């Protein structure tokens, strides 16, 4: 079966620019794709067209991937870390070269705006730059021993093979967050790309393979497997993969965590968010508007850091509400490759159904729709995946407000006291991103205090969405507790080893224990 490519938006040229000329897409341990399994299809939410048909990874192919990954790891982990950093430096340069084509492909296959697609590739470049520096900073501690003429220190070694399971909303950046640090750490990668945006994965695999080939490195350092949840389940159960990094829904993350924990493996989970911005009376409303607007409608509300709730002080509630409604009326919805548009499609018709159900449930619980609530139809919207960004007046305790809906729905909630607002913000099971807009020092410090936001990310006078490389990314509670990207996130990809060296002629025991015997 041949790949079917609709060329209305120049997809064939994009793929050609990215070095993809195969007729069959599927499993890969290097530069080539192979497959003999069942097929699944990739449709673009931009126009509804079938882009490609993909071979699912078979059990036999999976074993090929794992065996090659294990063999390649023996070679990679013996390469000095700064030399591994050089591989990632070259990957960053390749991504600079391919940024226009890959960013456009991300936009077309996933539906986010072209600027966001290009921004996602820039995230890949940024993490490569960060990881290159990190390759010379895999530091361990030295410790003073209680025993004379003994030295203690710790060092870090590669884990082995790292499994990476990514979601459709960031089809390439999250792979890079993991892969750049993991390869610097000396690990090989087995990547299960999202079945809703697989071509982005194939293009990225091709780019990575170019770098590996140019450095005469073996297949298996970066591999790709395809399919639905079953392939992710296989990875989660596989003892040969000491770490599973999974991005997706809370439901998916709980299943992964249980399976990995059952074999005493490690998991890095980046799951759902139900992110809020607290808006205080002293806030700059123009800044607040822009942050809330992008946070709520950027990527059509399909970021784990998307703004879901706006918790507004009652003294400015009506003013901000009216400003927001006016701003929503100016949003341009349409083809994400047209840079005049602000909002593209959501990923598929299933997501459209979840959007409609969420609005209906909010109304049933007492919410009031202020704007939006509808599917956009007509010429240019044939995919039926374009929806109107929606604002709903609600209460924080509504069940639908407590749940995360991956769609451009923003709930407005009133508060009268800052502690009440923080309690509402924290009063959900997710704990990813949070923000406060205020010009009062006491308010911002209260928000950042131990009694303030319980999220992994807490921002002041910026929105919930748009984390930058350098800071550790991740959240608490049912967001999973994982940390990726910056800071000391590299440690999760390595194993710690404590070393003690005795350079004396005696063998004293720790804690002064005596164990004498005559020989």
């Amino acid at each position: 079966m041949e790949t079917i490519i609709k060329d209305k938006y120049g997809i064939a040229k994009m793929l050609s620019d990215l070095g993809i000329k195969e007729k069959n897409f599927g499993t890969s341990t290097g530069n080539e794709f192979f497959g003999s399994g069942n097929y699944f299809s990739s449709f673009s939410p931009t126009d509804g067209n079938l882009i490609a048909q993909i071979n699912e990874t078979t059990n036999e192919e999976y074993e090929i991937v794992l065996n090659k990954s294990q063999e390649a790891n023996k070679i990679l982990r013996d390469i000095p870390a700064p030399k591994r950093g050089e591989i990632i430096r070259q990957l960053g340069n390749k991504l600079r070269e391919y940024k226009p084509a890959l960013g456009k492909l991300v936009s077309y296959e996933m539906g986010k705006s072209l600027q966001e697609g290009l921004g996602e590739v820039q995230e890949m470049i940024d993490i490569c730059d960060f990881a290159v520096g990190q390759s010379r900073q895999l530091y361990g501690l030295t410790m003073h021993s209680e025993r004379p003429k003994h030295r203690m220190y710790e060092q870090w070694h590669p884990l082995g093979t790292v499994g990476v399971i990514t979601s459709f909303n960031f089809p390439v950046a999250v792979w890079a967050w993991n892969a750049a640090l993991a390869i610097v750490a000396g690990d090989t990668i087995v990547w299960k790309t999202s079945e809703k945006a697989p071509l982005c994965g194939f293009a990225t695999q091709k780019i990575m393979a170019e770098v590996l080939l140019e450095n005469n490195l073996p297949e298996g350092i970066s591999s790709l497997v395809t399919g639905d949840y079953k392939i992710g389940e296989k990875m989660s159960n596989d003892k040969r993969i000491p770490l599973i990094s999974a991005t997706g829904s809370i439901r998916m993350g709980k299943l992964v965590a249980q399976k990995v924990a059952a074999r005493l493996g490690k998991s890095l989970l980046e799951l759902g968010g139900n992110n809020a911005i607290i808006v205080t009376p002293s806030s700059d409303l123009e800044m607040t508007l822009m942050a809330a607007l992008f946070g709520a409608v950027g990527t059509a509300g399909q970021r784990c850091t998307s703004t879901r709730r706006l918790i507004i002080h009652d003294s400015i509630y009506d003013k901000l509400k009216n400003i927001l409604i006016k701003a929503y009326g100016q949003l341009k919805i349409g083809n994400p490759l047209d840079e005049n548009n602000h909002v593209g499609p959501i990923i598929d018709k299933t997501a459209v159904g979840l959007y409609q159900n969420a609005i209906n449930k909010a109304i049933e619980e007492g919410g009031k729709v202020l704007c939006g609530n509808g599917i956009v139809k007509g010429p240019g919207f044939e995919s039926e995946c374009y929806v109107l960004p929606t604002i709903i007046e609600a209460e924080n305790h509504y069940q639908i407000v407590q749940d995360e809906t991956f769609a451009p729905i923003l709930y407005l909630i009133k508060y009268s006291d800052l502690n009440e607002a923080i309690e509402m913000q924290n009063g959900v099971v997710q704990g990813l991103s949070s923000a406060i807009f205020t010009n009062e020092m006491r308010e911002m410090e209260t928000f950042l205090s131990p009694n303030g936001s319980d999220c992994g990310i807490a921002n002041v006078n910026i929105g919930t969405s748009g984390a930058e490389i350098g800071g550790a990314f991740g959240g608490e509670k049912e967001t999973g507790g994982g940390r990726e990207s910056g800071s000391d996130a590299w440690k999760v990809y390595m194993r710690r080893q404590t070393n003690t060296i005795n350079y004396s002629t005696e063998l004293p025991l720790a804690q002064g224990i005596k164990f004498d015997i005559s020989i």
Side-chain angles (χ1 to χ4, degrees), residues 14-21 28-33 87 90-91 93-95 97-98 175 202-219 222:
M14 275 189 271
L15 296 180
S16 177
D17 289 345
L18 291 163
I20 296 179
K21 301 179 178 65
S28 175
T29 58
N31 192 47
E32 304 298 326
F33 301 115
I87 298 167
Q90 293 177 35
L91 173 62
N93 286 341
K94 287 283 185 187
L95 289 168
E97 177 186 342
Y98 287 116
W175 171 84
F202 301 147
T204 302
Q205 173 71 6
K206 274 282 193 181
I207 294 168
M208 183 75 238
E210 279 189 36
V211 175
L212 298 174
L213 284 169
E214 289 170 4
N215 287 273
N216 297 313
L217 290 168
E219 287 192 1
S222 175

Side-chain angles (χ1 to χ4, degrees), residues 109-129:
E109 187 176 31
M110 183 267 147
K112 63 177 62 177
S113 72
L114 179 57
Q115 280 300 309
E116 290 184 80
L118 294 170
E120 180 166 349
V121 180
Q122 187 61 47
E123 278 195 65
M124 302 173 79
I125 295 166
D126 292 346
I127 191 62
C128 286
D129 289 350

Side-chain angles (χ1 to χ4, degrees), residues 68-370:
K68 287 198 174 185
S69 182
Q70 299 275 290
E71 288 301 312
N73 186 255
K74 295 175 184 177
I75 296 171
L76 183 65
R77 69 192 183 198
D78 207 35
I79 297 173
K83 298 296 185 183
R84 299 194 296 254
E86 170 60 17
I87 298 167
I88 298 304
R89 186 192 69 81
Q90 293 177 35
L91 173 62
N93 286 341
K94 287 283 185 187
L95 289 168
R96 287 177 170 88
E97 177 186 342
Y98 287 116
K99 179 179 175 179
L102 185 57
K104 193 173 182 181
L105 180 59
V106 168
S107 177
Y108 179 68
E109 187 176 31
M110 183 267 147
K112 63 177 62 177
S113 72
L114 179 57
Q115 280 300 309
E116 290 184 80
L118 294 170
E120 180 166 349
V121 180
Q122 187 61 47
E123 278 195 65
M124 302 173 79
I125 295 166
D126 292 346
I127 191 62
C128 286
D129 289 350
F130 181 90
V132 173
Q134 193 69 72
S135 70
R136 294 180 182 270
Q137 300 178 80
L138 304 179
Y139 297 135
L141 299 173
T142 60
M143 292 144 279
H144 289 279
S145 174
E146 67 184 50
R147 290 166 285 187
K149 296 186 178 181
H150 282 60
R151 182 166 69 88
M152 296 179 64
Y153 71 97
E154 66 181 24
Q155 60 180 335
W156 296 81
H157 294 302
L159 274 180
T161 293
V162 172
V164 179
I165 301 171
T166 58
S167 181
F168 73 87
N169 59 331
F170 280 86
V172 293
V174 173
W175 171 84
W177 287 6
N178 286 273
L181 291 179
I183 289 173
V184 158
D187 303 323
T188 51
I189 300 294
V190 174
W191 178 19
K192 180 200 171 299
T193 186
S194 170
E195 64 269 31
K196 295 184 179 183
L199 286 184
C200 293
F202 301 147
T204 302
Q205 173 71 6
K206 274 282 193 181
I207 294 168
M208 183 75 238
E210 279 189 36
V211 175
L212 298 174
L213 284 169
E214 289 170 4
N215 287 273
N216 297 313
L217 290 168
E219 287 192 1
I221 288 177
S222 175
S223 300
L224 186 142
V225 293
T226 63
D228 59 15
Y229 72 94
K230 294 175 185 175
I231 194 75
E233 190 174 66
K234 185 182 288 291
M235 292 168 65
S236 299
N237 285 321
D238 197 327
K239 292 183 178 180
R240 295 169 293 181
I241 305 178
L243 171 67
I244 295 289
S245 174
T247 302
S249 68
I250 290 172
R251 178 182 173 276
M252 179 275 282
K254 287 181 176 180
L255 293 172
V256 169
Q258 291 169 19
K259 293 180 185 304
V260 175
R263 60 178 175 85
L264 298 181
K266 298 170 67 177
S267 57
L268 191 169
L269 301 175
E270 298 287 359
L271 310 177
N274 194 344
N275 315 296
I277 297 176
I278 297 172
V279 188
T280 71
S282 69
S283 63
D284 183 317
L285 289 188
E286 185 174 341
M287 288 174 60
T288 302
L289 171 68
M290 294 307 298
L293 198 62
F294 178 74
V297 308
T299 322
Q302 296 172 113
R303 292 182 176 220
C304 52
T305 55
S306 289
T307 305
R308 310 287 177 203
R309 298 173 293 146
L310 209 56
I311 303 173
I312 310 168
H313 193 271
D314 51 20
S315 66
I316 57 170
Y317 181 87
D318 288 335
K319 182 177 182 180
L320 182 55
K321 176 179 75 173
N322 293 331
I323 292 172
L324 274 167
I325 293 171
K326 182 178 179 182
Y328 268 57
Q330 298 174 37
L331 291 172
K332 295 178 181 178
I333 305 168
N335 172 10
L337 296 177
D338 182 345
E339 295 192 65
N340 292 313
N341 293 325
H342 301 105
V343 184
I346 54 181
I347 190 63
D348 56 25
K349 292 180 182 178
T350 299
V352 172
L354 294 173
Y355 158 87
Q356 293 175 305
N357 289 339
I359 294 172
N360 292 336
K361 287 179 180 178
I363 294 170
E364 290 171 9
E365 292 191 69
K368 179 182 177 182
V369 176
L370 300 177

Side-chain angles (χ1 to χ4, degrees), residues 372-385:
N373 187 15
I375 302 172
V376 185
K377 298 181 179 179
F381 301 102
E382 289 80 7
S383 69
E384 299 180 7
C385 290

